[in-house]
Amino acid sequence: MKIGVIGIRNVGSALGRGWLKTGHQVMFGVRDISDPKVKELLTIGGVSAAAGTTKEAAAFSEVLVLSVPWSAARSVIEDAGNLSGKIVLDVTNPLAPDLSGLVVGHETSAGEMVAGWAIGAFVVKIFNTTGASNMENPIFHGCSLTMPYCGDDQEAKATAAKLAEDIGFSPIDVGPLKQARLLEPLAMLWISMAYGGYGQAFAFQMIKRQP
Ligand SMILES: NC(=O)c1ccc[n+]([C@@H]2O[C@H](COP(=O)([O-])OP(=O)(O)OC[C@H]3O[C@@H](n4cnc5c(N)ncnc54)[C@H](OP(=O)(O)O)[C@@H]3O)[C@@H](O)[C@H]2O)c1
């Protein structure tokens, strides 16, 4: 698939590298094309990788990944231009600047706000509930990590699930986009535990009893 990834730090580079390794074409949307990180990603990706502005990456993409800080999400979506008909994967968590909690919640979610800004796009909330290092390697004890996702469009969700599988996750559909109101606090729990002493090499896993 043609995937645009906006943001090239922890999450953007982990996901982008994973998809480049599994045969996808990735265009990174960057603020500074001369950033050494851009060069590194282009070297890894070879002919399958490219970099440009947010607008160029969005225009290139069938699937656009929003991997920027929550504070930048709205302006990045505005910069992206027309997203109608595209799938947008929202990985953001609406964190307070000091990571003490979420600045959005209960009656809405970042995922739903992204859907409100990205007019006509099919938004799926995914990849927000675990750390970027687990996106690099989602295999624990030989098992693929659970990756919950939610959205209102079945086709977009199927695409998101396939992209999660491609990089080693076990995706689970947790319902409509408003379930992002639950996935974002789950991410906050992970973050508080990671900073509270567990470090980043852990994850939440769904285990199901066979009927
Ligand atoms: N870190 C994690 O483990 C993790 C896990 C799950 C979800 N998340 C969520 O995923 C998102 C990204 O996290 P991260 O840790 O990768 O963030 P990060 O390290 O802060 O990187 C953010 C990226 O967004 C880019 N960016 C910021 N403002 C921008 C703008 N106005 N236009 C274009 N690009 C812009 C930055 O560009 P520059 O490179 O030019 O600075 C950078 O590449 C956040 O919402 C976070 O809450 C993070």
Side-chain angles (χ1 to χ4, degrees), residues 42-54:
L42 297 185
T43 304
I44 291 167
V47 292
S48 300
T53 62
T54 293

Side-chain angles (χ1 to χ4, degrees), residues 6-13 29-32 35 54 66-73 75-76 79 90-95 126-133 135 187 190-191 200:
I6 312 299
I8 53 163
R9 299 295 158 196
N10 303 308
V11 174
S13 78
V30 300
R31 293 195 286 195
D32 176 9
D35 187 320
T54 293
L66 188 63
S67 47
V68 297
W70 174 242
S71 56
S75 68
V76 164
D79 289 349
D90 173 31
V91 314
T92 66
N93 283 309
L95 303 176
I126 189 166
F127 300 123
N128 70 308
T129 51
T130 198
S133 55
M135 298 178 204
W190 188 93
I191 293 163
Q200 299 195 12

Side-chain angles (χ1 to χ4, degrees), residues 5 7-9 13 17 20 26-46 49-53:
V5 176
I8 53 163
R9 299 295 158 196
S13 78
R17 283 200 303 268
L20 284 166
V26 178
M27 184 163 188
F28 295 95
V30 300
R31 293 195 286 195
D32 176 9
I33 201 89
S34 66
D35 187 320
K37 186 80 188 174
V38 175
K39 196 175 174 195
E40 183 198 316
L41 290 167
L42 297 185
T43 304
I44 291 167
T53 62

Side-chain angles (χ1 to χ4, degrees), residues 6 22-23 41-42 44 55 76 107 117-118 123 127 138-139 168 183 192:
I6 312 299
T22 51
L41 290 167
L42 297 185
I44 291 167
K55 195 169 189 146
V76 164
E107 290 172 5
W117 299 328
V123 175
F127 300 123
I139 309 296
L183 290 184
S192 68

Side-chain angles (χ1 to χ4, degrees), residues 127-152:
F127 300 123
N128 70 308
T129 51
T130 198
S133 55
N134 293 337
M135 298 178 204
E136 294 275 4
N137 178 12
I139 309 296
F140 275 52
H141 305 292
C143 292
S144 292
L145 288 186
T146 302
M147 178 46 68
Y149 62 93
C150 63
D152 293 334

Side-chain angles (χ1 to χ4, degrees), residues 141-197:
H141 305 292
C143 292
S144 292
L145 288 186
T146 302
M147 178 46 68
Y149 62 93
C150 63
D152 293 334
D153 183 86
Q154 288 306 328
E155 224 173 290
K157 288 207 285 190
T159 299
K162 175 73 172 61
L163 289 174
E165 259 173 18
D166 286 350
I167 56 171
F169 282 104
S170 177
I172 54 162
D173 183 350
V174 300
L177 190 60
K178 74 174 187 191
Q179 291 286 85
R181 297 176 197 183
L182 304 178
L183 290 184
E184 291 161 13
L186 181 63
M188 193 64 239
L189 176 63
W190 188 93
I191 293 163
S192 68
M193 290 171 65
Y195 283 94

